[in-house]
Amino acid sequence: NGPVGLSRPLGSSHSDDGEDQQGVDIGTMQTEVSNQSEASSSPDTTNSQLAQREKLEEERQSLRSRILETRKRRAAVRRELGNVTRHSTAVFHHQNSAEADRLSALTRYRSATNARALAQAQLTTTRKLDVTNDCFHIWHRGPFGTINGLRLGTDITATTSPVAIADGGSGGATVGNAPPGSGGGSSSTPEAA
């Protein structure tokens, strides 16, 4: 007895894309199988049935080998997909790390730029300061100069000619608050203190 209700013609072989190469109608094949089962009493019929079974067995074996090959390819694709996923994850981690480093460097750059601008402003302000003027108040009081309120210099009163003063007081005149006896001559100036 031959198989009834085959989904594919007995003598056909499959190409890789699953299409039948001979294009035999299934209905025709089923009638042939039923005709062969009625005529199974002859020895030629048994030989043809054995040949068909061998053919079917070969086709089944080829289909099994194709299924195993497809499973192997699927496993290889899964492994490759896992490798690609791991690699893309590593690339994303590296990209994120590089972006974080870039942002950190940009923040440090902006901070340094702001610190430089602040230092420049402080330098400009410091250059405008006059430390000597802050420590020593230099001014004047009448004809005398003062530093921190202390008078500088003396008052020169000329009672004789300028030549006598240049001579060192030999003409009898005294200069300012000079101590007696230092310039030779008497003290004739009205200033006594």
Side-chain angles (χ1 to χ4, degrees):
N1 292 336
V4 179
L6 295 175
S7 62
R8 228 173 304 150
L10 287 177
S12 68
S13 64
H14 274 322
S15 64
D16 285 341
D17 57 358
E19 295 180 2
D20 293 336
Q21 291 179 356
Q22 292 179 352
V24 178
D25 187 31
I26 294 175
T28 309
M29 185 63 156
Q30 288 176 347
T31 55
E32 287 177 8
V33 169
S34 63
N35 288 341
Q36 289 175 359
S37 63
E38 292 173 1
S40 62
S41 59
S42 69
D44 289 335
T45 313
T46 19
N47 287 339
S48 68
Q49 285 179 350
L50 286 176
Q52 283 181 353
R53 282 187 186 173
E54 286 177 7
K55 225 182 220 186
L56 286 174
E57 189 63 33
E58 287 175 9
E59 187 177 343
R60 192 174 108 197
Q61 290 299 327
S62 73
L63 288 175
R64 280 187 180 172
S65 66
R66 285 177 59 193
I67 288 171
L68 288 176
E69 183 181 328
T70 304
R71 286 180 182 165
K72 287 178 185 177
R73 279 189 276 167
R74 277 186 178 176
V77 167
R78 278 192 213 113
R79 282 192 302 272
E80 187 65 27
L81 180 64
N83 290 340
V84 168
T85 303
R86 281 190 296 277
H87 179 70
S88 66
T89 303
V91 166
F92 288 140
H93 283 299
H94 180 70
Q95 184 179 6
N96 288 341
S97 174
E99 183 67 19
D101 290 345
R102 186 187 74 82
L103 289 176
S104 174
L106 185 61
T107 303
R108 286 193 314 267
Y109 171 75
R110 287 180 180 161
S111 175
T113 303
N114 292 339
R116 182 183 178 277
L118 178 64
Q120 185 68 36
Q122 287 176 345
L123 177 64
T124 304
T125 304
T126 305
R127 283 185 179 165
K128 290 179 182 178
L129 295 178
D130 187 7
V131 179
T132 305
N133 199 19
D134 290 341
C135 292
F136 305 105
H137 180 66
I138 301 172
W139 198 241
H140 66 87
R141 190 176 299 153
F144 300 104
T146 61
I147 296 177
N148 290 340
L150 300 174
R151 188 174 95 177
L152 301 175
T154 59
D155 184 21
I156 300 176
T157 307
T159 55
T160 60
S161 70
V163 175
I165 295 172
D167 191 26
S170 61
T174 346
V175 177
N177 292 332
S182 65
S186 64
S187 174
S188 63
T189 59
E191 192 176 303

